[in-house]
Amino acid sequence: MQTANYARGLMRASLPYAPRTEIESHVQARLERGKLLDRSNAPEIWAVIHEACFGITVGSPQTMAAQLTHLRDLSAGDSPVIVQVMPGSAGPHPLMYGSTILMTFDDAPSIAYNEGAHTAQLIEDPALVSNYMRSYHHVRAAALSPAASLTVLESAVRAYRT
């Protein structure tokens, strides 16, 4: 769900000594994954993003405005994407220590994927995946509604455009 410039900014920050070709390889991989949302059988995505992320300028104000507009458009349009914003006022939550992706399938067991700056872990153990699912339900419950989240996204876009 990232624009090219936003992904590039994240990669440069995460891998400050990497050669440009490595950065571009990571950016292209993210953009290719993003194309999955254009397919007729696109995966459903329910993302909870902490509002603090909107205050960290990645790249430039224009890059941030474009990224936040992209998120807003994905979640407001006819794509299978729902974005919820976790307000800072909600306090700490069970998944605040990193990026977690939960994947459920019609024909296979659910899995969890944790990603950090220099490591990633695929979790297939059903008991652990169940724990992640419960934590995710708590996070979704504490986040703003999808409609209220769109309002926050639109406000963040306006802030970067001024």
Side-chain angles (χ1 to χ4, degrees):
M1 297 190 312
Q2 296 173 351
T3 63
N5 285 336
Y6 185 82
R8 194 170 289 112
L10 286 180
M11 288 298 106
R12 285 185 184 140
S14 297
L15 304 167
Y17 302 110
R20 184 178 300 262
T21 55
E22 182 179 345
I23 298 292
E24 288 306 312
S25 175
H26 287 291
V27 169
Q28 289 308 311
R30 287 181 181 217
L31 295 178
E32 284 300 314
R33 284 194 305 263
K35 289 180 183 177
L36 293 173
L37 295 175
D38 297 330
R39 296 186 337 194
S40 61
N41 63 341
E44 295 175 6
I45 297 176
W46 195 316
V48 179
I49 303 170
H50 200 285
E51 73 175 339
C53 296
F54 304 155
I56 301 169
T57 304
V58 175
S60 68
Q62 295 81 13
T63 295
M64 289 302 296
Q67 175 61 39
L68 295 170
T69 298
H70 181 62
L71 285 175
R72 183 202 62 205
D73 292 349
L74 281 174
S75 61
D78 60 357
S79 75
V81 175
I82 296 172
V83 173
Q84 280 185 272
V85 174
M86 175 64 75
S89 61
H93 61 80
L95 297 176
M96 65 184 289
Y97 53 84
S99 175
T100 300
I101 299 170
L102 298 169
M103 294 172 267
T104 58
F105 307 95
D106 293 334
D107 57 352
S110 297
I111 57 175
Y113 177 76
N114 285 331
E115 187 175 61
H118 302 288
T119 186
Q121 178 184 19
L122 187 65
I123 301 162
E124 299 177 275
D125 178 287
L128 284 175
V129 172
S130 180
N131 287 341
Y132 277 100
M133 289 287 188
R134 280 195 300 278
S135 293
Y136 182 62
H137 294 313
H138 285 275
V139 168
R140 280 187 12 207
L144 299 175
S145 71
S149 295
L150 278 175
T151 300
V152 171
L153 279 168
E154 289 169 1
S155 177
V157 168
R158 283 192 303 276
Y160 276 106
R161 286 189 176 151
T162 58

